[in-house]
Amino acid sequence: MSSADKNLSVFSTEGLPDISQRKFAIVVAEWNSEVTEKLFEGAYATLIRYGALAKNIERGNVPGSFELTLGAHWYAQREDIDAVVALGVVIQGETKHNDYINHAVAQGITNVSIKTNKPVIFGVLTPNNMEQALERSGGVHGNKGDEAAITAIKMLGLQEKITNRRG
Ligand code: RBF
């Protein structure tokens, strides 16, 4: 299936780890907030659906996607946080500036993940226009927030398996 046809809310859920004791941070960019709120709702609901406790999910807002890296870094550095989900929407094509933001955030989040040795998930939509953004934030193509949250859970499962921390 091409990525254009993918439904972001359809994924395998086999062998997910127990996340009832795990702590998550969700960092949300306020730019394009009508979309990022939907991403947050999807991510939050997915974490709860697969076993996270509400008291173990913390939210922090940043002004724009460019600030997701530092917001994610502050959370990931906290010892009690197990995984971070970073959510934003950068609409392509409006200005070249967007390419720089996408690149910087992708690189920045990867660096945070490696430096802190924790899953830090790139939940940033990079659509061509607002219509595509809405289609991927609870519309016909599902919700990128759901996908980002399940990715965090799956990475915690892989971490457990590899490091034999649990189970
Ligand atoms: N932030 C986003 O999250 N999504 C965007 O599409 C977006 N577009 C921007 C376009 C321009 C021309 C500028 C200057 C900023 C944009 N930002 C966007 C905000 C950016 O992530 C950051 O918050 C600001 O650049 C900080 O001043």
Side-chain angles (χ1 to χ4, degrees), residues 6-10 35 38-39 125 131-144 146:
K6 183 172 165 49
N7 187 312
L8 296 158
S9 300
V10 178
V35 182
K38 292 181 181 183
L39 297 181
L125 279 175
E131 188 187 348
Q132 288 183 350
L134 292 168
E135 285 173 355
R136 289 161 180 76
S137 54
V140 291
H141 291 302
N143 191 327
K144 178 80 178 167
D146 294 358

Side-chain angles (χ1 to χ4, degrees), residues 15-29:
L16 294 179
D18 174 7
I19 57 166
S20 60
Q21 305 303 314
R22 297 296 209 165
K23 277 201 170 183
F24 297 85
I26 305 178
V27 188
V28 186

Side-chain angles (χ1 to χ4, degrees), residues 29 31-32 63-67 89-91 95 97-98 101:
W31 194 284
N32 295 316
S65 290
F66 195 79
E67 289 74 39
V89 178
V90 182
I91 307 218
T95 143
H97 194 84
N98 297 312
I101 296 176

Side-chain angles (χ1 to χ4, degrees), residues 83-101:
V84 181
V85 175
L87 301 175
V89 178
V90 182
I91 307 218
Q92 301 272 357
E94 285 174 6
T95 143
K96 192 92 182 108
H97 194 84
N98 297 312
D99 289 341
Y100 301 132
I101 296 176

Side-chain angles (χ1 to χ4, degrees), residues 71-88:
H73 189 236
W74 284 333
Y75 275 119
Q77 275 189 317
R78 249 175 54 185
E79 211 166 299
D80 61 323
I81 297 287
D82 293 299
V84 181
V85 175
L87 301 175

